[in-house]
Amino acid sequence: MQRAALPRAVDVVVVGGGITGLSIAYHLARERRVTRVLVLERSYLCSGASGRNGGGVRAQWSTEANVRLMQESLGMFRQFAREHRIHTWFRQGGYLFLARSRGRADALAASVELQRRCGLATRVLAPREAVALVPQLDPSGIVLATFNPDDAVVFPWPFVWGYAEGARALGVTVCDFVKVTGVDVQAGEVRGVQTSLGPVAAPIVVVACGAHSPEVAAWAGVALPTHPHRHEICASEPLVPFLQPLVACLDDGLYFSQSTRGELVGGVSNPDVPPGDDAGSSVAFLRRYAAALLRACPSLGGVKILRQWAGLYDLSPDGAPIVGPVARPRGLYLCSGFTGHGFMMAPVVGRLLAAAIAGAGGGSLLDRWALSRFERGEAAPEGMIIG
Ligand SMILES: Cc1cc2nc3c(=O)[nH]c(=O)nc-3n(C[C@H](O)[C@H](O)[C@H](O)COP(=O)(O)OP(=O)(O)OC[C@H]3O[C@@H](n4cnc5c(N)ncnc54)[C@H](O)[C@@H]3O)c2cc1C
């Protein structure tokens, strides 16, 4: 494909060509009230966390707002292949959450009640019922499990490409390998950005740079409380298909699913990783993952790991993202801090933020996720985060 020329003046610049920025741009173009939209990506389109994640998409959350939001996002993921005419490897095998402590079990059971009130088919399972779903599981140490058959796993890249192509078809300019190096602000208002190919004038700039968002927001004088955190993941040799759901344990942060190629794809939380943007791989991760996986499924001990890689989580203090306009400078919008779940939220959050930018509202969600919540001391932690 021929490289798009960099326009010198647009209505909206979206900084970051991950799934978040591209979803915002696509939905802005669909709103049709914003005509000149430019996405700037400093590298290739799947270079950030959006091209490196596990593709888990779930509606099992512990707050009503997140459950309802993710119900809508799941629907958008389901429709994506038809809407964008691209294969997405959407596999609706459900999510099986395991609880290994009484406190975690009580919290999961309470969240199931909430999810059922919202219309989800989630149910609480005794350990032997979890083993009926995944016979390789060792039931010892599991207090209870929860299962929503409608949760899913996808292959991430087609969503990034699909939004990019869909946005381009609607008139958005998507420029990869163009780095934003500054944000121009005058008299308390955004005026545009500086880039590796020169300036671009724009009254609205959206910061959707994932773990690099604090650096870009700082150029506009805005301090973000988020920070990058390396998260590692790996894929095994292909195995005969045996695993339907994605299995996740909030006690140790283990998660694994089986891809359509038969690979076990999984990771585990690692609080020992120092903050920073090093996205290298480590043997320490493999040891930690192997220990957690074998505790869950001892019979998987002989499985070989073929590939491992890492990406950056954009950790926010309460695990919830930071989305919406800032008070000053006018014209600056944020969409970052998605921790380990920004991929699944991107379709619906992109739609809501695009509506807000186009002046068509964005709902109470954007109040809940405003940056100013930290100053007001209103942070509301969500319990079901694989951090
Ligand atoms: C290993 C791993 C597993 C994960 N698993 C899941 C999962 O199962 N489900 C889920 O929902 N989420 C998961 N996540 C989280 C999810 O991937 C992210 O929350 C999401 O992809 C964030 O998307 P984004 O577009 O905001 O950021 P990114 O995809 O990181 O995109 C930001 C882009 O901004 C660009 N950029 C940065 N600075 C500049 C600049 N100055 N100028 C121009 N461009 C710039 C970067 O190059 C990058 O491409 C996982 C993350 C990792 C790392």
Side-chain angles (χ1 to χ4, degrees), residues 16 18-20 41-42 49-50 53-56 180 231 313 340-344:
I19 190 168
T20 304
E41 165 55 50
R42 68 177 185 176
S50 300
N53 64 77
V180 170
H231 184 79
Y313 273 11
H341 43 270
F343 187 79
M344 66 180 87

Side-chain angles (χ1 to χ4, degrees), residues 4 17 22 25 37-41 45 163-164 167-168 172-176:
L22 290 165
V37 180
L38 171 65
V39 178
L40 294 174
E41 165 55 50
L45 289 185
Y163 274 137
R168 282 181 176 126
V172 173
T173 307
V174 179
C175 290
D176 51 5

Side-chain angles (χ1 to χ4, degrees), residues 14-23 39-58 61 70 77 95 152-154 156 160 175 177-182 194-195 207-213 215-216 219 229-234 246 255 266-267 309-314 335-346 386:
V14 178
V15 190
I19 190 168
T20 304
L22 290 165
S23 170
V39 178
L40 294 174
E41 165 55 50
R42 68 177 185 176
S43 182
Y44 59 96
L45 289 185
C46 283
S47 60
S50 300
R52 297 163 178 266
N53 64 77
V57 178
R58 60 176 156 107
W61 286 90
M70 280 309 304
F77 275 100
Y95 254 64
V153 179
V154 298
V160 177
C175 290
F177 297 97
V178 179
K179 183 175 181 181
V180 170
T181 54
Q194 297 293 323
T195 81
V207 181
C209 296
H212 300 282
S213 297
E215 178 188 341
V216 178
W219 292 329
H229 180 92
R230 182 179 71 203
H231 184 79
E232 296 185 58
I233 185 167
C234 64
L246 182 149
Y255 64 92
W309 66 97
L312 297 176
Y313 273 11
D314 180 22
C335 200
S336 63
F338 285 96
T339 307
H341 43 270
F343 187 79
M344 66 180 87
M345 291 187 167
I386 304 174

Side-chain angles (χ1 to χ4, degrees), residues 5-200:
L6 186 71
R8 290 300 166 198
V10 293
D11 297 322
V12 179
V13 171
V14 178
V15 190
I19 190 168
T20 304
L22 290 165
S23 170
I24 295 165
Y26 173 74
H27 287 100
L28 268 174
R30 276 190 34 167
E31 286 276 339
R32 290 179 202 283
R33 297 186 212 194
V34 185
T35 48
R36 297 180 308 163
V37 180
L38 171 65
V39 178
L40 294 174
E41 165 55 50
R42 68 177 185 176
S43 182
Y44 59 96
L45 289 185
C46 283
S47 60
S50 300
R52 297 163 178 266
N53 64 77
V57 178
R58 60 176 156 107
Q60 282 191 73
W61 286 90
S62 67
T63 59
E64 180 169 349
N66 279 349
V67 173
R68 294 201 185 280
L69 194 75
M70 280 309 304
Q71 274 176 302
E72 184 178 347
S73 219
L74 255 171
M76 295 167 85
F77 275 100
R78 200 179 296 116
Q79 293 303 322
F80 198 92
R82 188 169 305 146
E83 186 179 341
H84 294 269
R85 304 179 71 77
I86 192 166
H87 193 3
T88 59
W89 287 272
F90 182 84
R91 309 188 297 287
Q92 206 153 22
Y95 254 64
L96 180 70
F97 273 108
L98 309 176
R100 294 190 179 277
S101 63
R102 177 44 57 194
R104 186 70 73 184
D106 291 346
L108 274 185
S111 69
V112 170
E113 274 181 40
L114 166 78
Q115 291 160 22
R116 291 186 73 85
R117 280 202 302 279
C118 295
L120 261 56
T122 318
R123 51 187 206 274
V124 173
L125 304 182
R128 66 181 159 71
E129 294 173 296
V131 173
L133 268 182
V134 180
Q136 290 74 10
L137 273 181
D138 178 356
S140 55
I142 300 177
V143 181
L144 65 71
T146 66
F147 178 63
N148 174 23
D150 295 324
D151 290 339
V153 179
V154 298
F155 181 47
W157 298 357
F159 293 88
V160 177
W161 295 331
Y163 274 137
E165 284 314 301
R168 282 181 176 126
L170 292 167
V172 173
T173 307
V174 179
C175 290
D176 51 5
F177 297 97
V178 179
K179 183 175 181 181
V180 170
T181 54
V183 179
D184 297 330
V185 176
Q186 276 174 27
E189 294 187 359
V190 163
R191 296 290 161 91
V193 292
Q194 297 293 323
T195 81
S196 49
L197 294 183
V200 178

